């Protein structure tokens, strides 16, 4: 570590290298920590979590009871023991609360003044954070499984909504109505995601085993339907292309937008090149997936080799994205894990499950290791460096 | 150093799993295994091996052509072949395999080594080792190549069972059980497929199960069997044409309508003949999978055998079995392809979790 610092100081190495190396090391050390807790408010399973992209300080959670809670993740107390408190919540007594389970919540990408939530009660609601009132409601004919708003776009305010019908609807926040519909899927849309690289590129995943990439400005249909066998591209065969051998449950772009990860109920996770739709054939092994609705998984950001955190039954499996190696399984929840989010500033992972808990996975800190273990672990670290880190405050 | 092998079975198991020595074996060291005769039970039983004289089981050499061609004539019917043969003996005597797969001492691989490998530019900090058993942690073994794995697995296929009507089929999941890194295994298999050395075939029972066959074997068997069976019938010509023109040209699993009609000049009636002969299977309107004629029997035995072996693990107390014990048990009559064959497949398909214990590898059914 000191080597990195001095190299950075003298200009021998890019400052980014130190940051990435340290982020990777911290992600590899994620574990449950007795000092970090998230207050338990939900009475039902937690379906969705989202951390705001501006500061990484506030987290929204949506539960099967229709309740939406806003947490403050920052540790402003001087102690190491910290519980993330709920700042406010939209509980069952709120007049505009969702009637059924909230499936997806998302912060407005540009500031925390607004957030959107969609639920099984066939609505998408747009909330004002400060007054906790609904600014707008979009009604649909079918239950809404998922929605997403583009994190990078400044030219449009479209929210893509995936419902039980086969059409993807795009709702415009500026005008307050559904602007257009994307047709092409045959069964319900379980996940939608905008590309973090291009303003107008959208990926949708459906229960008919297909994942389609769309350019929303184009009227004539999807750009690519992903094919797991990388067969020859020909128009007649488009209908036979499937991304998975079962329903496709979850979608996640890597943080640079160049690759797309999909998970399906055939217990596989696939990595695709998002520009040409090619299956990179990275094999992650069996990624157990029994979810009947969407599975929300996440990718780390800012590490030297990116990691993907996938809910796997009641644990969270961590894989390296580009090589498919399984790093570890994070065990801690009592029931099925439904969602997880990564806080990239502090390399922390928050996961929500059906046991109504949100767990915070925090990089483990150095502790003084007793001497007999030192010789056994063949550590290449000079013992002098071990003491250079004090374990007082993980915010440092 | 542990003395595990008090039984002959254990010695067999180490031979078999030598291909992937540290898979599922966490912190256990392997220096014992490098010594072939340390198995206390092994020497008295050794003389049994030459008596079995299975002519089709030859030491694995690097190149396929080294195998004698006499085997192609179809096993020796006079040999006593146990139906539920766990063909441990042939692998037993492959001394060439020893040194290839066991280069000296193999240090224990655990999470810390993987970390170091993964983040080379950091200052060598490893994930602190958890106390106790590192469960379900597939440590990195030495990189056995996919090709060697396929060759070795081909030895396990019971040719005599099908009277040589079928080429030896190996499953992709079995290759995963021998090659620890799946992505690397996939890439190597894809290269072999592109070079034309192997064909990958969709086995009908599971969309994910791909069978791997050497192209040579496929061609000879299909020629022999299909043409023998349909001499004089209309599809002999179509099959010949298919084998001659399409097989070498197109290495894919599936074929499309335009490809068949335009590029290779097949008429619809000829394509129907191919489907009738069993060389193609219908996938969708206008596209077909490559198939092996007569593979139906194989698939039936395979599915039944897989369920039976899984059932053996499921019925045991706590739903877990030591690998050595599983392989030492008498296989139920339903298992025709051999216990080892099925165990490789179960491990590679992750239908059982492989956990390393001090008594060897433990196979446990996953909870989910």
């Amino acid at each position: 570590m000191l080597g990195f610092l001095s190299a950075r100081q003298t200009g021998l190495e890019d400052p980014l290298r130190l940051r990435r190396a340290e982020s990777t090391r911290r992600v590899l050390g994620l574990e449950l920590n007795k000092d970090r807790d998230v207050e338990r408010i939900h009475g039902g399973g937690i379906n969705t979590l989202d951390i705001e992209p501006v500061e990484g300080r506030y987290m929204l959670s949506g539960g099967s009871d229709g309740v939406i809670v806003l947490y403050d993740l920052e540790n402003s107390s001087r102690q190491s023991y910290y519980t993330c408190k709920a700042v406010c919540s939209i509980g069952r007594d709120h007049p505009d609360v969702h009637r059924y389970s909230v499936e997806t919540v998302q912060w407005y990408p540009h500031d925390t003044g607004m957030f959107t939530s969609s639920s099984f009660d066939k609505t998408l609601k747009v909330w004002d954070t400060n007054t906790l009132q609904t600014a707008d409601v979009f009604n649909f004919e079918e239950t809404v499984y998922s929605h997403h708003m583009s994190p990078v776009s400044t030219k449009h305010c479209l929210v893509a909504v995936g419902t039980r019908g086969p059409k993807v609807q795009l709702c415009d926040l500026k005008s307050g109505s559904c602007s257009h519909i994307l047709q092409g899927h045959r069964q319900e849309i379980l996940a939608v995601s905008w590309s973090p690289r291009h303003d107008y590129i959208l990926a949708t995943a459906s229960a008919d085993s297909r994942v389609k990439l769309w350019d929303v400005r184009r009227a004539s249909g999807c750009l690519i339907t992903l094919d797991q066998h990388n067969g020859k591209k020909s128009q007649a065969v488009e209908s036979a292309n499937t991304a998975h051998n079962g329903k496709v449950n979850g979608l996640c772009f890597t943080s640079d937008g160049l690759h797309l990860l999909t998970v399906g109920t055939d217990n596989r996770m696939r990595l695709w090149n998002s520009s040409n739709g090619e299956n990179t054939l990275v094999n992650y092994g069996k990624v157990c997936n029994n979810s009947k609705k969407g599975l929300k998984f996440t990718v780390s950001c800012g590490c030297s080799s990116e990691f993907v955190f996938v809910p796997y039954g009641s644990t969270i499996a961590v894989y390296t994205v580009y090589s498919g190696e399984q790093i570890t399984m994070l065990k801690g929840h009592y029931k099925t894990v439904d969602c997880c989010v990564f806080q990239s500033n502090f390399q922390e992972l928050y996961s929500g499950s059906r046991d109504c808990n949100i767990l915070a996975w925090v990089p483990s800190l150095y502790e003084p290791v007793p001497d007999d273990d030192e010789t056994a672990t063949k550590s290449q670290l000079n013992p002098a460096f071990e003491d250079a880190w004090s374990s007082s405050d993980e915010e440092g | 150093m542990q003395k595990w092998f008090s039984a002959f079975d254990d010695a067999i198991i180490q031979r078999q799993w030598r291909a992937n020595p540290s898979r599922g074996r966490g912190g256990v060291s392997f220096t014992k295994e490098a010594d072939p005769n340390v198995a206390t039970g092994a020497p008295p039983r050794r003389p049994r091996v030459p008596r079995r004289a299975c002519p089709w089981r030859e030491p694995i050499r690097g190149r396929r052509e080294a195998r004698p061609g006499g085997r192609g004539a179809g096993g020796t019917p006079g040999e006593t072949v146990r139906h539920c043969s766990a063909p441990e003996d042939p692998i037993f005597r492959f001394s060439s395999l020893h040194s290839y797969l066991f280069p000296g001492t193999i240090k224990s691989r655990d999470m810390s080594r993987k970390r170091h490998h993964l983040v080379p530019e950091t200052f060598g900090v490893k994930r602190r080792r958890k106390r106790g058993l590192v469960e379900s942690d597939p440590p990195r073994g030495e990189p056995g190549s996919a090709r060697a794995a396929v060759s070795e697995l081909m030895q396990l296929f019971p040719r005599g069972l099908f009277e040589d009507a079928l080429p030896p089929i190996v499953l992709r999941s079995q290759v995963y059980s021998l090659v620890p890194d799946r992505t690397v295994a996939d890439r190597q298999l894809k290269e072999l497929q592109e070079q034309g050395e192997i064909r990958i075939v969709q086995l009908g029972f599971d969309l994910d199960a791909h069978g791997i066959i050497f192209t040579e074997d496929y061609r000879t068997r299909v020629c022999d069997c299909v043409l023998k069976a349909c001499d004089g019938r209309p599809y002999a010509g179509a099959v010949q044409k298919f084998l001659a023109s399409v097989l070498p040209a197109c290495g894919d699993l599936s074929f499309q309508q335009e490809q068949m009609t335009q590029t290779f000049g097949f008429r619809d009636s000829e394509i129907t003949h191919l489907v009738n002969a069993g060389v193609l299977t219908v996938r969708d309107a206008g596209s077909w999978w490559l198939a092996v004629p007569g593979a139906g029997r194989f698939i039936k035995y395979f599915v039944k055998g897989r369920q039976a072996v899984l059932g053996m693990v499921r019925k045991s107390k706590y739903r877990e079995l030591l690998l050595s014990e599983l392989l030492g048990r008498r296989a139920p009559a339903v298992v025709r392809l051999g216990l080892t064959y099925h165990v490789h497949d179960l491990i590679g398909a992750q239908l059982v979790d492989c956990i390393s214990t001090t008594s060897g590898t433990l196979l446990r059914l996953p909870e989910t």
Side-chain angles (χ1 to χ4, degrees):
Chain A
M1 179 69 176
L2 290 183
F4 270 101
L5 282 172
S6 60
R8 185 176 97 151
Q9 199 171 17
T10 54
L12 286 172
E13 274 181 10
D14 199 274
L16 194 56
R17 271 203 80 187
L18 167 64
R19 182 185 166 151
R20 294 180 85 94
E22 185 60 16
S23 306
T24 313
R25 188 186 66 80
R26 283 167 66 88
V27 171
L28 290 174
L30 277 181
E31 64 183 23
L32 278 181
N33 195 326
K34 58 178 168 39
D35 290 337
R36 178 67 72 92
D37 214 351
V38 178
E39 194 183 346
R40 183 172 159 159
I41 306 274
H42 281 281
I46 292 153
N47 285 333
T48 175
L49 292 170
D50 189 40
I51 298 183
E52 44 113 0
V54 181
E55 262 187 311
R57 180 173 169 175
Y58 295 105
M59 180 167 77
L60 273 176
S61 74
S64 327
D65 45 1
V67 169
I68 301 174
V69 185
L70 204 157
Y71 294 95
D72 179 0
L73 299 179
E74 187 171 303
N75 183 3
S76 43
S77 72
R78 295 297 176 138
Q79 294 136 15
S80 58
Y81 174 71
Y82 172 64
T83 305
C84 301
K85 291 255 178 278
V87 172
C88 58
S89 76
I90 299 166
R92 302 299 318 165
D93 49 351
H94 193 286
D96 292 324
V97 68
H98 280 287
R99 287 211 318 274
Y100 301 130
S101 134
V102 174
E103 286 301 309
T104 319
V105 283
Q106 190 195 2
W107 284 104
Y108 182 60
H110 307 291
D111 62 55
T112 53
M114 192 163 87
F115 61 89
T116 48
S117 68
S118 66
S119 138
F120 271 5
D121 64 359
K122 309 183 188 174
T123 59
L124 168 74
K125 294 192 176 170
V126 182
W127 301 84
D128 176 333
T129 322
N130 294 306
T131 58
L132 277 191
Q133 304 292 323
T134 46
D136 205 351
V137 179
F138 295 88
N139 291 300
F140 303 96
E141 286 108 31
E142 305 269 9
T143 56
V144 180
Y145 278 113
S146 161
H147 78 269
H148 196 238
M149 193 167 159
S150 174
V152 292
S153 167
T154 48
K155 299 196 183 85
H156 68 83
C157 302
L158 293 174
V159 180
V161 179
T163 66
R164 208 145 135 236
K167 300 182 188 160
V168 182
Q169 317 226 20
L170 295 174
C171 302
D172 187 6
L173 288 184
K174 276 199 212 138
S175 63
S177 63
C178 292
S179 65
H180 61 288
I181 294 178
L182 302 174
Q183 295 210 32
H185 281 293
R186 294 184 200 159
Q187 288 180 35
E188 58 251 27
I189 315 283
L190 293 173
V192 292
S193 178
W194 291 89
S195 162
R197 198 174 178 88
H198 303 288
D199 287 0
Y200 294 102
I201 304 291
L202 174 69
T204 57
S206 159
D208 65 358
S209 329
R210 289 180 177 82
V211 175
K212 289 183 186 266
L213 286 174
W214 310 80
D215 181 334
V216 297
R217 295 165 294 186
R218 189 169 130 152
S220 57
C222 72
L223 289 176
I224 309 173
T225 307
L226 300 183
D227 180 17
Q228 56 178 309
H229 300 297
N230 283 340
K232 302 189 185 25
K233 305 273 179 256
S234 67
Q235 210 47 37
V237 194
E238 278 281 304
S239 56
N241 283 348
T242 55
H244 280 267
N245 295 325
K247 302 188 198 185
V248 189
N249 267 354
L251 275 182
C252 186
F253 276 94
T254 52
S255 44
D256 54 6
L258 293 172
H259 288 92
L260 173 65
L261 280 160
T262 58
V263 283
T265 51
D266 60 345
N267 298 334
R268 298 275 170 252
M269 181 158 70
R270 302 211 155 93
L271 180 71
W272 309 83
N273 184 329
S274 59
S275 51
N276 58 7
E278 183 201 329
N279 185 353
T280 57
L281 298 175
V282 177
N283 194 328
Y284 299 94
K286 181 171 165 190
V287 181
C288 236
N289 184 347
N290 294 323
S291 174
K292 295 196 176 65
K293 36 183 199 177
L295 190 71
K296 294 171 172 61
F297 63 102
T298 183
V299 179
S300 71
C301 178
C303 303
S304 64
S305 61
E306 301 294 354
F307 301 97
V308 53
F309 305 94
V310 189
Y312 187 126
S314 63
T315 64
I316 299 171
V318 184
Y319 301 92
T320 34
V321 174
Y322 302 109
S323 73
E325 199 185 327
Q326 183 179 63
I327 303 294
T328 182
M329 308 266 276
L330 299 174
K331 294 184 168 67
H333 280 287
Y334 300 124
K335 288 196 188 167
T336 325
V337 180
D338 274 329
C339 53
C340 53
V341 279
F342 185 72
Q343 215 267 29
S344 51
N345 294 332
F346 294 113
Q347 293 83 42
E348 290 163 357
L349 182 72
Y350 293 88
S351 57
S353 99
R354 286 192 207 158
D355 60 4
C356 318
N357 284 327
I358 301 178
L359 288 184
W361 306 84
V362 171
S364 55
L365 302 171
Y366 280 107
E367 279 162 26
V369 184
D371 277 306
D372 47 347
D373 282 349
E374 193 62 32
T375 49
T377 43
K378 271 189 294 187
S379 170
Q380 293 183 8
L381 200 60
N382 193 320
F385 293 164
E386 293 267 349
D387 296 330
W389 283 98
S390 74
S391 55
S392 61
D393 184 7
E394 64 258 23
E395 304 294 320
Chain B
M1 298 297 184
Q2 301 102 327
K3 281 220 176 265
W4 308 329
F5 351 107
S6 50
F8 175 52
D9 301 355
D10 286 327
I12 293 164
I13 305 322
Q14 11 148 10
R15 298 292 182 264
Q16 286 157 339
W17 296 116
R18 185 166 298 143
N20 195 356
S22 33
R23 175 179 39 86
R25 289 198 166 164
V28 179
S29 68
F30 295 104
T31 51
K32 267 301 190 198
E33 289 185 300
D35 184 1
N37 288 322
V38 83
T40 52
R45 311 291 183 101
R46 267 239 188 174
R48 247 180 67 198
V49 173
R51 266 190 268 132
R52 290 200 54 185
C54 313
W56 62 85
R57 304 208 188 272
E58 294 290 329
I60 290 174
R61 294 191 230 276
R63 299 165 52 76
R64 274 205 72 244
E65 295 83 64
R67 289 202 218 156
R71 282 178 302 110
T76 45
E79 285 305 312
T80 48
V81 179
R82 293 192 324 223
H83 271 285
C84 49
S85 57
E88 55 270 34
D89 301 321
I91 299 180
F92 199 86
R93 51 188 170 116
F94 296 158
S95 51
S96 55
L97 216 45
H98 289 206
S99 46
Y100 167 65
L101 292 163
F102 269 94
T105 316
I106 293 155
K107 297 187 274 285
S108 72
R109 317 246 164 194
D110 56 3
M111 302 259 269
S112 59
R113 184 162 287 257
K114 194 183 344 186
R115 293 283 173 278
H116 180 58
H117 211 58
L118 176 65
V119 190
E121 66 255 31
T122 57
F123 37 93
V125 170
K126 306 161 184 75
R127 186 183 175 100
R128 257 167 307 144
R129 220 193 303 182
K130 292 207 171 34
R131 305 284 169 261
L133 205 58
V134 182
E135 279 214 354
S136 308
D137 168 27
R140 300 299 126 204
E142 65 222 309
S145 81
R147 203 190 180 301
V150 172
S151 310
E152 188 182 330
L153 289 166
M154 290 288 185
Q155 309 297 315
L156 292 179
F157 185 84
R159 288 173 194 233
L161 189 58
F162 300 102
E163 290 97 36
D164 257 2
L166 267 191
I169 304 179
V170 159
L171 273 81
R172 198 189 268 267
S173 47
Q174 295 173 328
V175 176
Y176 292 152
S177 78
L178 290 178
V179 179
D181 188 348
R182 285 161 180 257
T183 313
V184 164
D186 273 348
R187 295 220 170 107
Q188 288 177 349
L189 284 176
K190 198 168 160 62
E191 268 168 34
L192 288 175
Q193 191 188 3
E194 275 160 10
Q195 286 161 14
E197 263 188 73
I198 59 173
R199 297 294 313 198
I200 302 198
V201 160
Q202 181 87 344
L203 297 173
F205 61 92
D206 187 2
L207 281 170
D208 246 343
H210 293 156
I212 299 170
I213 312 177
F214 281 121
T215 320
E216 274 312 302
D217 278 343
Y218 182 77
R219 197 193 297 278
T220 42
R221 298 284 187 260
V222 172
C223 274
D224 289 343
C225 309
V226 174
L227 298 177
K228 211 182 340 167
C230 61
D231 250 336
R233 292 211 220 157
Y235 38 89
V239 174
Q240 282 283 31
K241 188 172 161 196
F242 181 80
L243 288 178
S245 62
V246 182
L247 264 198
C250 179
D252 288 341
L253 281 98
S254 66
F255 304 99
Q256 317 305 338
Q257 176 88 21
E258 319 74 53
Q259 209 181 357
M260 294 291 277
T261 49
Q262 273 131 40
T263 328
F264 298 113
F266 277 87
R267 289 189 306 274
D268 278 342
S269 54
E270 289 183 322
I271 298 180
T272 321
H273 289 327
L274 289 176
V275 175
N276 288 343
V279 177
L280 289 183
T281 319
V282 173
R283 170 187 176 183
D284 200 358
S287 70
W288 297 271
W289 298 115
L290 181 68
V292 184
R297 253 196 319 162
F298 167 75
I299 294 174
K300 185 175 72 169
Y301 292 155
F302 181 80
V303 172
K304 287 213 176 114
R306 190 194 239 193
Q307 291 307 319
V309 178
L310 257 188
M312 282 166 78
V313 180
R314 197 176 299 131
K315 285 190 204 127
S316 60
K317 195 173 184 196
Y318 306 120
R319 293 151 69 94
E320 62 189 18
L321 266 189
L322 276 180
L323 182 62
S324 47
E325 199 196 317
L326 176 63
L327 288 170
R329 284 196 189 176
R330 209 172 69 86
V334 171
V335 174
R336 314 285 291 265
L337 299 172
L339 273 179
T340 333
Y341 192 85
H342 284 296
V343 170
H344 272 289
D345 164 62
L346 288 181
I347 293 179
Q350 290 180 298
L351 291 168
V352 287
D353 289 333
C354 238
I355 298 156
S356 67
T357 64
T358 47
S359 333
T361 317
L362 184 72
L363 299 179
R364 180 185 290 163
L365 283 185
E367 300 91 31
T368 45

